Amino acid sequence: MKSRLHAHVGTIRQLEILLSVHDKGSIKEAAKTLFLTQPTISIQMKKLSQAMGATLFNYTNRQVVFTDIGLELVKTAVEVLDSFARLDMAIGNIKGFKSGTLRLAVVTTSEYFIPHLLGPFLEQYPDIDIQLNIGNREQTIERLKQGVDDFYVFSHPPTDIETEAIEFLKNPLVAIAHEDHPIAKKKNLTLKDLCQEPFLMREQGSGTRYAIEEFLKQHQVNLNIKMTIESNEAIKHLVMSKLGISILSAHTLLYGGQRGLVRLPIKELPINSNWFFVWSKAKRQTLIASEFLNHIESNGRQLLQQEMVKSELAYTK
């Protein structure tokens, strides 16, 4: 017996609105993105919920939290809209151009170099739309579980989800301090020297913090954590203000600027890790996603590696 559920899941526009509410996390932000009023968004979501005969999301501390049924509908909405995107691309290819939407979810530190990958790609395919979501490691893992994006960028991909991945760039984590900090004047520094200074740490759920904590376990030492901050840029400015030292990805210096900052020559550092492009095995790859993957492997990886070498931030033991 054929399912008649498709007769109840709403219009294509309602599915677009649903995805925007999910991605933005609020009615207000979805309204801004879609250039609609908040009441319009609310009405359409109410109609969709009624059509499904189930609550799609609730409000917790003023945040939109999707129900299990809501998350399943989000996955279906992605598949439906991807089908139209593939049709659009197929028609576009027949007409001699490529178009469509590429969805990326990346951890915060990778936001420094992702634009340098997207720039050349968009020059080649100017009619492509990009949807870029930036979050910490835990938030990006949650999006991977939901399967709403084409690719995910991690320095430490999760091992409990069925995925495929390519390693494409080194991600050395280095110690930084203000150039006038007393520790910056010392030579032959060790990890013990670092542990004596006020340390500025990324938040729980951050990939950088995860790597630092694993590194500390291996060396059986503890840092003198004075502040926990949810932003690489905020940490850099606090270091510039001589409020402590930190360990961050070298990419935050290469692409984000390093005015007044120096890299500390700690014997045990850097913490060597790599960046990975990850995608779900369960999600069918769109034509434009395949094109982007080819771009990463053929041009993007080499471009970023060259920039790392030029900056003298690439480091191998």
Side-chain angles (χ1 to χ4, degrees):
M1 182 177 179
K2 292 184 178 180
S3 169
R4 296 292 300 166
L5 183 60
H6 66 276
H8 304 285
V9 297
T11 66
I12 297 299
R13 185 54 170 166
Q14 286 175 341
L15 295 183
E16 290 177 335
I17 293 172
L18 176 77
L19 280 185
S20 185
V21 173
H22 174 268
D23 289 349
K24 298 302 178 181
S26 75
I27 298 291
K28 180 180 179 181
E29 292 304 316
K32 289 181 181 178
T33 301
L34 298 174
F35 301 101
L36 297 173
T37 64
Q38 292 184 51
T40 298
I41 297 287
S42 298
I43 290 171
Q44 293 303 315
M45 288 301 90
K46 183 177 181 180
K47 287 182 178 179
L48 185 55
S49 180
Q50 290 173 341
M52 291 295 296
T55 300
L56 303 180
F57 53 79
N58 297 302
Y59 289 95
T60 302
N61 296 325
R62 296 186 179 180
Q63 292 292 318
V64 170
V65 178
F66 273 71
T67 64
D68 289 342
I69 292 177
L71 290 175
E72 286 300 320
L73 184 56
V74 166
K75 292 179 183 179
T76 298
V78 170
E79 293 173 0
V80 170
L81 294 175
D82 274 350
S83 295
F84 279 97
R86 285 193 294 271
L87 175 61
D88 187 32
M89 284 185 282
I91 294 172
N93 289 338
I94 293 171
K95 292 180 178 179
F97 62 86
K98 293 183 180 292
S99 61
T101 300
L102 178 69
R103 297 183 178 89
L104 302 175
V106 307
V107 296
T108 49
T109 302
S110 68
E111 67 182 318
Y112 291 96
F113 61 80
I114 286 296
H116 297 265
L117 284 175
L118 293 176
F121 185 66
L122 289 174
E123 286 181 5
Q124 187 176 2
Y125 303 115
D127 295 306
I128 289 171
D129 295 324
I130 304 291
Q131 292 185 6
L132 179 62
N133 183 277
I134 301 171
N136 67 23
R137 184 172 183 268
E138 287 187 354
Q139 292 166 338
T140 307
I141 287 175
E142 187 59 34
R143 291 184 68 88
L144 173 57
K145 290 178 180 178
Q146 296 169 14
V148 296
D149 304 286
D150 295 306
F151 295 107
Y152 307 83
V153 176
F154 295 98
S155 58
H156 298 84
T159 57
D160 59 344
I161 305 174
E162 288 290 319
T163 63
E164 295 186 56
I166 59 167
E167 175 186 316
F168 75 100
L169 187 66
K170 293 185 182 298
N171 180 34
L173 303 184
V174 300
I176 61 171
H178 188 276
E179 59 188 1
D180 293 332
H181 193 290
I183 198 173
K185 312 299 181 183
K186 298 179 181 179
K187 297 180 180 180
N188 302 319
L189 293 169
T190 68
L191 195 55
K192 289 184 178 179
D193 296 309
L194 197 69
C195 293
Q196 295 174 8
E197 301 293 334
F199 191 85
L200 310 175
M201 178 68 96
R202 280 295 303 269
E203 80 285 4
Q204 289 287 351
S206 158
T208 298
R209 179 166 184 146
Y210 174 84
I212 293 173
E213 289 179 338
E214 290 298 308
F215 176 77
L216 295 175
K217 288 179 185 178
Q218 294 175 11
H219 290 269
Q220 298 181 334
V221 295
N222 295 307
L223 293 170
N224 179 23
I225 299 175
K226 289 298 182 182
M227 287 192 226
T228 301
I229 304 102
E230 296 185 0
S231 161
N232 290 320
E233 285 303 300
I235 287 178
K236 285 167 59 178
H237 283 281
L238 289 166
V239 173
M240 290 176 192
S241 300
K242 305 179 185 178
L243 294 177
I245 61 177
S246 190
I247 294 176
L248 293 177
S249 168
H251 294 283
T252 65
L253 304 179
L254 170 59
Y255 297 109
Q258 52 184 318
R259 178 174 54 87
L261 301 177
V262 294
R263 175 173 160 178
L264 299 176
I266 306 294
K267 179 182 177 181
E268 295 86 353
L269 295 179
I271 302 173
N272 290 312
S273 62
N274 296 283
W275 288 112
F276 295 84
F277 263 89
V278 177
W279 59 97
S280 171
K281 284 186 177 180
K283 180 177 171 62
R284 180 178 176 181
Q285 202 168 80
T286 65
L287 291 175
I288 205 62
S290 297
E291 291 284 349
F292 185 65
L293 189 60
N294 289 334
H295 164 69
I296 293 168
E297 295 187 295
S298 61
N299 301 315
R301 179 192 284 117
Q302 183 179 5
L303 173 65
L304 295 181
Q305 287 174 343
Q306 289 174 346
E307 290 185 350
M308 284 288 288
V309 171
K310 287 179 182 179
S311 70
E312 297 183 352
L313 288 172
Y315 185 95
T316 55
K317 293 185 123 179

